[in-house]
Amino acid sequence: MTTPLPPLPPRPNRDAGDLPPISARPERTQELPRVERPQAAPKRRLQADPPPPPTPIHGTRPPKSRRPVGVILAVLVAAVGAGAVGANLFGPDGSSSPSVLQSSRPVASTGSEPHLEDAVRATAPSVVEIKTSFGLGSGVVVQPSGLIVTNNHVIAGETRVEIVTASGSSIAGEVVASDENQDLAIVRPSGSAGPGVAIAEDAAGPPDIGSAVFAIGSPFGLRNTVTAGVVSAFREDDGRPVIQFDAPVNPGNSGGGLFDLQGQLVGIPTSIRSPVGGNVGIGFAVPASRVRAMLDQVS
């Protein structure tokens, strides 16, 4: 069981779709608000200046010079010595000795390392879009219950929401639990909303700083958007623990998933810190341990 965190200060009312205002206190973060369905903006072609023509290389081949016989003999001796050194570094089969491998061989993939594409393919069907009477956000279907985890500020005050699955189908959802302190909420869908993902085990601890993570959500209503980055640090926001990461997130990502390359849910993106109101690569997520604790109270 986790110790309840102190309550957050009241969240100001904002028009849906507005980016969070710049906070007067730089140490505070701003939540990612819901966004209304955006109107299609006219596309503008970006035309770059043509690259400069390659610079021709002018010059003539230098005349061949005669080298003294002594210099040629010195070169031959050096080559023989290099061959002797090479014979010591490589065995009879031409393979490098262990000491050379440890000091000079670059790190290479063993073929068993997880790949981002595989992790996205496994997790994307479990991320949904959540629509309310005042905006939209994201959510994640979790195993084995099939319940949907999202942010409290995505569904604040609502008892029923609309769920748009990754495949585009729409089903109803009932809000069965919410916690403003943790900024988490649980939604029970009326039908199957996706296959569900596994939540990272508490025993394994939080992801390492520098480990790769990726976010999936609906920034500005763009469903199934994937962004990638790393875990930057671990912080506290108004007394609650949060994961800092640099995968770009924006309004509409709230409630979506932050995953590791094993395809496990490690956090729920909840807020950003920005001097301009948009993404600058500093996002925060509620850790998976808090998600699991809340699910245990509902399941």
Side-chain angles (χ1 to χ4, degrees), residues 205-211 231-237 240-245 266 284-285 287:
D208 294 331
I209 294 176
S211 59
V231 173
S232 304
F234 298 99
R235 310 284 186 190
E236 282 198 0
D237 178 29
R240 63 176 180 174
V242 290
I243 300 172
Q244 179 184 336
F245 61 96
V266 298
F284 299 94

Side-chain angles (χ1 to χ4, degrees), residues 204-258:
D208 294 331
I209 294 176
S211 59
V213 290
F214 63 96
I216 306 180
S218 300
F220 304 114
L222 301 173
R223 194 171 69 249
N224 302 339
T225 295
V226 180
T227 54
V230 298
V231 173
S232 304
F234 298 99
R235 310 284 186 190
E236 282 198 0
D237 178 29
D238 286 334
R240 63 176 180 174
V242 290
I243 300 172
Q244 179 184 336
F245 61 96
D246 71 347
V249 287
N250 288 285
N253 272 111
S254 288
L258 185 69

Side-chain angles (χ1 to χ4, degrees), residues 2-299:
T2 59
T3 304
L5 296 177
L8 296 172
R11 301 183 185 273
N13 293 325
R14 303 191 185 100
D15 294 333
D18 290 344
L19 289 173
I22 299 173
S23 174
R25 295 174 55 191
E27 68 275 8
R28 294 290 301 277
T29 58
Q30 303 296 321
E31 70 179 30
L32 297 175
R34 289 79 49 188
V35 294
E36 294 179 347
R37 189 186 304 274
Q39 296 181 353
K43 295 183 179 180
R44 196 176 87 185
R45 186 183 299 274
L46 298 179
Q47 182 174 355
D49 294 331
T55 303
I57 301 175
H58 298 285
T60 57
R61 180 173 298 178
K64 296 181 179 180
S65 60
R66 296 175 178 268
R67 297 183 182 274
V69 176
V71 175
I72 297 176
L73 291 177
V75 172
L76 292 175
V77 171
V80 173
V85 173
N88 291 329
L89 294 180
F90 292 87
D93 58 354
S95 60
S96 301
S97 64
S99 61
V100 174
L101 291 176
Q102 293 175 2
S103 61
S104 63
R105 187 177 65 175
V107 176
S109 172
T110 62
S112 61
E113 298 175 357
H115 295 284
L116 176 61
E117 314 92 273
D118 297 331
V120 170
R121 191 178 301 112
T123 55
S126 302
V127 181
V128 301
E129 184 177 272
I130 296 179
K131 296 182 178 180
T132 66
S133 61
F134 49 81
L136 61 85
S138 304
V140 183
V141 184
V142 294
Q143 299 175 356
S145 63
L147 296 173
I148 296 173
V149 181
T150 185
N151 285 140
N152 177 73
H153 74 261
V154 169
I155 55 86
E158 300 283 89
T159 57
R160 298 190 67 81
V161 297
E162 179 186 356
I163 300 166
V164 181
T165 67
S167 62
S169 60
S170 179
I171 59 177
E174 178 187 5
V175 179
V176 295
S178 61
D179 186 342
E180 184 180 1
N181 296 340
Q182 306 290 335
D183 196 20
L184 289 175
I186 307 297
V187 177
R188 177 176 285 117
S190 59
S192 175
V197 297
I199 303 175
E201 293 291 338
D202 294 346
D208 294 331
I209 294 176
S211 59
V213 290
F214 63 96
I216 306 180
S218 300
F220 304 114
L222 301 173
R223 194 171 69 249
N224 302 339
T225 295
V226 180
T227 54
V230 298
V231 173
S232 304
F234 298 99
R235 310 284 186 190
E236 282 198 0
D237 178 29
D238 286 334
R240 63 176 180 174
V242 290
I243 300 172
Q244 179 184 336
F245 61 96
D246 71 347
V249 287
N250 288 285
N253 272 111
S254 288
L258 185 69
F259 305 96
D260 61 18
L261 293 188
Q262 283 71 42
Q264 300 179 114
L265 181 70
V266 298
I268 301 292
T270 182
S271 61
I272 59 175
R273 179 175 296 182
S274 171
V276 296
N279 172 265
V280 291
I282 301 179
F284 299 94
V286 182
S289 59
R290 299 302 173 103
V291 175
R292 184 184 297 278
M294 188 170 184
L295 282 169
D296 288 343
Q297 298 176 6
V298 176
S299 303

